[in-house]
């Protein structure tokens, strides 16, 4: 049975903590080609990650959903159509962050499933940092 509205509200276990490190922030900033010094700090101040760094950790939560046999989703048949970040606080070097994915909306049209997910990013101490909301378009294989 493919994913459907009955799967809205399904929440997956949180990921293992991800340590936000200076090296990972610098890798991300370099990949963006963003020379903004706001993401860098001196030796006494923790580095702050760019807002979109949240995508790195949020994407780590997707595996549980794609591995769920009840949904029939396939990463190879999925397009990431939209992304939004609702940020409470930017991530900083030293944060240990978990990601918890919830399916918030499903719309089926023919062989296409439009799935909206919200990934809550929280520190291991329970501080809410961000919610990364994604809309995914998944095509199903035609029944034979």
């Amino acid at each position: 049975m493919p994913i459907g509205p009955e799967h809205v509200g399904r929440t997956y276990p949180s990921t293992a903590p991800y340590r936000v490190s200076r090296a990972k922030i610098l890798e991300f900033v370099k990949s963006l080609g963003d020379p903004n010094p706001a993401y860098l700090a001196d030796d006494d101040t923790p580095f702050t990650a760019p807002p979109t760094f949240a995508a790195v950790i949020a994407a780590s939560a997707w595996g549980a959903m794609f591995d769920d046999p009840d949904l029939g989703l396939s990463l190879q048949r999925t397009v990431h159509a939209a992304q939004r970040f609702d940020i409470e606080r930017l991530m900083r070097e030293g944060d240990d962050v978990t990601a918890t994915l919830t399916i918030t909306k499903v719309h089926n049209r023919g062989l296409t499933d439009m799935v909206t997910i919200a990934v809550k990013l929280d520190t291991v101490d329970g501080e809410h940092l961000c919610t990364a909301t994604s809309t995914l378009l998944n095509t199903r294989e035609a029944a034979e």
Side-chain angles (χ1 to χ4, degrees):
M1 180 166 115
I3 190 168
E6 67 275 12
H7 295 109
V8 170
R10 185 172 287 197
T11 299
Y12 295 90
S14 297
T15 62
Y18 177 102
R19 169 61 59 101
V20 178
S21 70
R22 183 175 295 219
K24 290 297 183 182
I25 293 170
L26 288 173
E27 278 178 12
F28 189 78
V29 169
K30 185 177 178 180
S31 74
L32 294 177
D34 189 345
N36 188 336
Y39 308 130
L40 308 177
D42 60 33
D43 289 336
D44 298 329
T45 306
F47 277 30
T48 298
T52 54
F53 186 81
V56 172
I57 302 170
S60 69
W62 291 18
M65 180 183 66
F66 282 106
D67 290 343
D68 186 339
D70 290 344
L71 305 183
L73 298 174
S74 170
L75 184 58
Q76 292 77 16
R77 295 188 318 270
T78 300
V79 173
H80 189 188
Q83 181 72 59
R84 184 180 79 233
F85 299 102
D86 296 309
I87 297 172
E88 296 294 319
R89 171 175 75 74
L90 293 174
M91 290 180 219
R92 296 186 291 257
E93 173 186 8
D95 283 338
D96 291 313
V97 182
T98 62
T100 307
L101 184 148
T102 299
I103 298 169
T104 59
K105 187 175 180 182
V106 177
H107 179 75
N108 308 102
R109 184 94 165 168
L111 294 176
T112 303
D113 305 311
M114 186 179 303
V115 182
T116 303
I117 57 174
V119 181
K120 283 185 57 191
L121 302 176
D122 301 307
T123 66
V124 295
D125 297 327
E127 180 184 4
H128 179 63
L129 300 174
C130 173
T131 300
T133 302
S134 301
T135 301
L136 309 173
L137 298 177
N138 181 78
T139 57
R140 278 181 265 124
E141 295 177 349
E144 297 183 23

